[in-house]
Amino acid sequence: MEKGKDEAMDLIKLATDVAAAAEELIGAAKPKKGRIFVLGCSTSEVLGSKIGTARSPETAKAIISAIMDVTRDHGLYLAVQCCEHLNRALVVEAAAAACFSLTEVTVHPVPEAGGSAAACAYDLFDDPVVVESISADLGMDIGQTLIGMHLKRVAVPVRLSTGTIGNAVLTAARTRPPLIGGERARYF
């Protein structure tokens, strides 16, 4: 098979794997419509390189397109984390920023500053804005990009049936409200 066809097949597999992982996480977390799903993604790690060393807009497009379809189908807002050069700000739709009163920042992510995934999200979203932080209900971290700072306070790991996307480690989490009240309290 020619190189171009191999690469296309790999992108199709990546998109399929990401969509399946997102569906599995959503099934486990059971978020209400209108909640936030955060994604951290290192395309370098997906391709088998050290984070930040082999960005790939093509890989990002396959991943972001797949996860956008899944989150939209479930009525969730997608937030895509930028890299450390933009202080891990997030790309969201303007509607999500307004709904959650998120603090907007002025920047346009590019692969060299923000990362390929965030730059791709900015290009693919209908009305993108970048916000400084969020408190998401669930999320996936592809390549150990450290999304924990963007999850609500009590994060619960979700073990998915796949542990990698491409060559990158896949970590997933959902959140739950804190349990308070001690031994006499009743929990649902």
Side-chain angles (χ1 to χ4, degrees), residues 31-67:
K32 294 178 182 173
K33 289 185 187 287
R35 299 298 171 104
I36 299 174
F37 183 119
V38 64
L39 174 71
C41 179
S42 167
T43 58
S44 299
E45 291 280 336
V46 170
L47 297 173
S49 297
K50 183 181 171 195
I51 195 166
T53 63
R55 57 189 166 265
S56 171
E58 299 80 16
T59 301
K61 186 172 183 182
I63 291 169
I64 299 299
S65 295
I67 204 160

Side-chain angles (χ1 to χ4, degrees), residues 26-101:
I26 291 166
K30 298 175 181 44
K32 294 178 182 173
K33 289 185 187 287
R35 299 298 171 104
I36 299 174
F37 183 119
V38 64
L39 174 71
C41 179
S42 167
T43 58
S44 299
E45 291 280 336
V46 170
L47 297 173
S49 297
K50 183 181 171 195
I51 195 166
T53 63
R55 57 189 166 265
S56 171
E58 299 80 16
T59 301
K61 186 172 183 182
I63 291 169
I64 299 299
S65 295
I67 204 160
M68 281 177 67
D69 288 344
V70 172
T71 53
R72 282 183 179 160
D73 286 350
H74 289 277
L76 302 173
Y77 289 112
L78 177 60
V80 180
Q81 178 180 266
C82 296
C83 73
E84 64 184 294
H85 296 99
L86 296 185
N87 298 324
R88 302 203 194 289
L90 303 113
V91 179
V92 298
E93 292 284 2
C99 180
F100 292 96
S101 299

Side-chain angles (χ1 to χ4, degrees), residues 161-185:
S161 57
T162 184
T164 58
I165 297 295
N167 294 297
V169 172
L170 173 62
T171 305
R174 64 176 180 83
T175 63
R176 65 162 174 75
L179 301 175
I180 61 168
E183 65 187 41
R184 292 187 286 178

Side-chain angles (χ1 to χ4, degrees), residues 1 3-19 41 43 46-47 54-67 120 165-166:
M1 198 180 274
K3 185 177 180 186
K5 289 185 181 179
D6 281 340
E7 289 172 4
M9 290 296 286
D10 288 345
L11 292 178
I12 292 168
K13 179 171 177 13
L14 285 174
T16 301
D17 290 351
V18 165
C41 179
T43 58
V46 170
L47 297 173
R55 57 189 166 265
S56 171
E58 299 80 16
T59 301
K61 186 172 183 182
I63 291 169
I64 299 299
S65 295
I67 204 160
C120 180
I165 297 295

Side-chain angles (χ1 to χ4, degrees), residues 112-150:
E112 301 80 20
S116 294
C120 180
Y122 198 90
D123 290 342
L124 291 177
F125 282 10
D126 293 329
D127 189 13
V129 297
V130 180
V131 298
E132 116 182 300
S133 65
I134 58 165
S135 291
D137 295 276
L138 67 161
M140 287 186 355
D141 187 330
I142 302 171
Q144 300 176 320
T145 63
L146 304 175
I147 65 165
M149 69 183 77
H150 298 304

